[in-house]
Structure formats: structure tokens, C-alpha cells
Amino acid sequence: MVRTAGDLADGPTETEDQQYGDHSTPLARAAEHILRARHGVQLGPTLHRPEATRVVVVANQKGGVGKTTSTVNVAAGLAQLGQRVLVIDLDPQGNASTALGVDHRRGVPSTYDAVVEGAPLAEVSVPCPDVDGLMVVPATIDLAGAEIELVSVVARESRLAKAIKGHPLVGSAAEVGDERFDYVFIDCPPSLGLLTLNALVAGEEMMIPIQAEYYALEGLGQLLETVEMVRQHLNPRLNVSTIMVTMYDARTRLAFGVAEEVREHFGDQVLKTTVPRSVRVSEAPSYGQTVMTYDPGSTGALCYLEAAREIATKGAPS
Ligand code: ADP
Ligand code: MG
């Protein structure tokens, strides 16, 4: 089953009814999300926190498929649902940093310092100004050099893993307590180089955004081969937990066909919620915001909130 923006507007399913209580009309949901976004108000039941930090790698070597957009909006959505979230910007372009409203000019403490220089992650993260409970490690253009600089460094593919493990707020409830991060999201660059490899070694879960267009599945084979290689040699715990169909245009047969094909390939890994193509989603970054605060009542924001809820409810793969 594919759940589109249209279905969201049609109203809740039975399980959603249980989750939201009886004020679950589309309008009520939009109103609820606006309140959450503006005032941090928690309405309805809060999500359960995972027992231990879930480290999610957002990767697809194809550019422009919605990695960054999905990272920042799902992360913000989870934070708005009461989770504690860290986003690590691993793309030298720094688009996630821009969307989350944090400074990423050359010279600010950044992912580069953590990955290349070995600086503690906690010292290079800053709060997202618009979303409570969301921290960000910004990426500066220095990171562009890391791809080459790392080649000659010891344990070059496990630098990020070490930085994340060393963060005092990453771990299980028993080890770290209530202050722990529930989620760490890593926004990868559009390549399968050493930076992405570092992310794949650092995470247990992978989220792959797929754009609902004709060439969507092209290149995925190469990505999955890389994942298999990493599983065999570097990180046996890595799991493709989430496939997210983005920029879905419900009016076209093509988008529907692509979504069906993705579902045939990946089954339950595919989120029921698809993210529609939406102008509000694409213009939010130019205001240094995610769509979750820029226009919390918009369809794009509500779909990302649903996606966030789905990811949280599904839980970590075991
Ligand atoms: P990636 O990180 O994979 O390169 P981005 O998240 O930066 O991809 O998205 C590529 C472009 O598509 C950006 O300009 C972004 O604003 C736009 N975009 C992403 N998702 C949507 C959407 N749901 N609706 C409209 N535009 C989108
Ligand atoms: Mg990106």
C-alpha cells in the first residue's frame, strides 16, 4: 500500500485513530503540528523512546534525490515528537546545516574537525535554533578535502564511528541515561567515497531516499553492493531499514509505477508514507528552516511528520 498526501487528507486509518485520539481530521492534525512547531506543545500520546541511540545513515550516491531534505525534516519531525536528535552533516556542501539554520562558514567547528582532526563530537555540535531537542554538527567546505586527506590516515574508514561512539550522549538508557540521543542522522554526500564509507561503518541503519522518477532504481545496485561489502568486512550490523519515496507526484502514472516497483524490490522496508513534491518543502531552506517550522501545516510537513512517526513506531531492526 502506498500512502500519499491525498490519503493523508482522506483521514486516519484505524491504527492512526488509536494514535491520535478522536481529533484526527486532516485539519486537526495540521493545527496540532502548527502548535507543536510554534510552541513545542505536546498533544496526544508521545512516542516511545528507543532503548538505545539509533544511528541512521541517509545515503544514495545519486544527487538530488532528497537525502538532505529527508534528513532534516525527519530529524526535525522526530524532535517535534519529543525525541532527542543529532544531525551530522557529512556533505561538504553543507545543505543540511543551511536548512537547520546553523552557521557553516569556514572556521566554525564542524564535522571536518571530528572526522579528520579527531575533535570530540560534543564539542562541534550546536543546537538548531528553531527546533527544541535537535542538535547539529555542521559541515564546512573543508570537508571537501577530507575525502583525500583521509586516505593516508589510520583507520580511515572508521573515524566517524569512533567519534559517534565517543559521544557521551550516545548509547543505551542503562549506559547513558535519559539525556541520551534517541537518533543520530548522518546526511551523506552524493558519492560512494570515504566520507559515505565512514557513515556506513558508523551506523546500524540506513535510510535510502528514492525519487519517484524514471531512473530511480538505476545505481541502487551499486549502492547495495557497497552496503554488502561493508557488512562483510567492516560493519556486520548495518541494515537497510528504511526506503523513502520522495517527490511523489500522485497525478502521474509514472510516480505510481516507480513506487510500486520500489515496493516489489524492498517490501516492508519501504515507508507507507510518500513525500509529495511540494514548493513549500523546497523553499524552506532559503529561510534557513525545515518545512517542519517554516510551514508546519503544509502537506509536505505533515507527510514528513507521518514518516518520522512511522520510523519511530517501526523501531530499530533487530
Ligand atoms: P540530495 O541531498 O539527495 O542531493 P536534496 O534533499 O538536496 O537532495 O533535494 C534536491 C532538490 O530537490 C533540492 O532543491 C530540494 O529543495 C528539492 N526537493 C527535495 N524534496 C522535495 C520535495 N518533496 N518537493 C519539492 N522539492 C524537493
Ligand atoms: Mg544533500
Side-chain angles (χ1 to χ4, degrees):
M1 182 194 109
V2 181
R3 183 159 49 177
T4 64
D7 298 329
L8 264 186
D10 285 342
T13 61
E14 221 166 87
T15 38
E16 285 162 357
D17 249 346
Q18 290 155 7
Q19 281 175 15
Y20 288 88
D22 49 3
H23 42 222
S24 184
T25 64
L27 207 60
R29 275 199 214 186
E32 172 179 340
H33 191 224
I34 290 167
L35 279 175
R36 277 190 207 273
R38 302 252 160 86
H39 312 289
V41 177
Q42 286 287 348
L43 296 170
T46 35
L47 284 178
H48 274 300
R49 300 179 64 185
E51 246 329 279
T53 311
R54 291 172 64 180
V55 181
V56 184
V57 180
V58 185
N60 185 334
Q61 78 277 28
K62 204 183 264 202
V65 298
K67 285 183 291 298
T68 301
T69 309
S70 302
T71 304
V72 299
N73 290 308
V74 167
L78 284 167
Q80 288 172 332
L81 292 166
Q83 309 287 296
R84 303 169 60 89
V85 185
L86 174 67
V87 170
I88 300 175
D89 191 349
L90 195 62
D91 185 346
Q93 300 296 324
N95 294 337
S97 311
T98 303
L100 295 171
V102 302
D103 192 1
H104 63 105
R105 282 170 296 187
R106 212 174 201 153
V108 305
S110 69
T111 312
Y112 177 89
D113 301 290
V115 173
V116 180
E117 311 281 3
L121 211 50
E123 282 174 24
V124 296
S125 47
V126 289
C128 166
D130 301 307
V131 183
D132 283 346
L134 180 55
M135 298 290 291
V136 187
V137 182
T140 64
I141 193 67
D142 296 310
L143 199 56
E147 205 70 76
I148 290 162
E149 286 171 55
L150 281 176
V151 171
S152 56
V153 163
V154 194
R156 60 190 180 191
E157 65 283 317
S158 53
R159 310 278 299 182
L160 184 61
K162 189 168 172 231
I164 293 174
K165 281 205 192 79
H167 196 299
L169 297 180
V170 169
S172 67
E175 294 157 0
V176 191
D178 282 348
E179 299 286 286
R180 72 186 180 279
F181 284 117
D182 299 302
Y183 294 87
V184 175
F185 282 92
I186 308 171
D187 183 30
C188 291
S191 68
L192 291 175
L194 261 179
L195 285 172
T196 299
L197 189 60
N198 261 270
L200 296 177
V201 172
E204 299 98 55
E205 291 182 57
M206 229 181 133
M207 171 163 112
I208 306 179
I210 293 182
Q211 188 178 348
E213 52 131 49
Y214 185 62
Y215 296 112
L217 298 176
E218 212 160 84
L220 267 187
Q222 197 191 358
L223 180 61
L224 297 175
E225 275 166 31
T226 307
V227 171
E228 207 32 56
M229 187 274 289
V230 171
R231 279 165 64 96
Q232 279 174 25
H233 301 287
L234 298 163
N235 179 14
R237 295 185 311 160
L238 185 64
N239 222 308
V240 178
S241 61
T242 307
I243 309 273
M244 182 182 230
V245 178
T246 63
M247 294 181 247
Y248 187 86
D249 184 347
R251 293 166 307 182
T252 68
R253 263 169 193 283
L254 176 64
F256 182 77
V258 171
E260 285 293 288
E261 200 179 339
V262 169
R263 207 163 297 274
E264 269 163 35
H265 266 74
F266 295 101
D268 285 349
Q269 291 155 299
V270 188
L271 291 184
K272 291 195 180 73
T273 312
T274 56
V275 178
R277 191 175 275 287
S278 135
V279 175
R280 307 303 267 169
V281 169
S282 61
E283 66 191 10
S286 57
Y287 296 88
Q289 286 190 48
T290 66
V291 76
M292 310 306 279
T293 58
Y294 173 65
D295 192 354
S298 65
T299 320
L302 293 174
C303 284
Y304 269 120
L305 192 69
E306 271 313 300
R309 205 186 283 275
E310 242 189 90
I311 291 167
T313 342
K314 240 168 73 168
S318 44

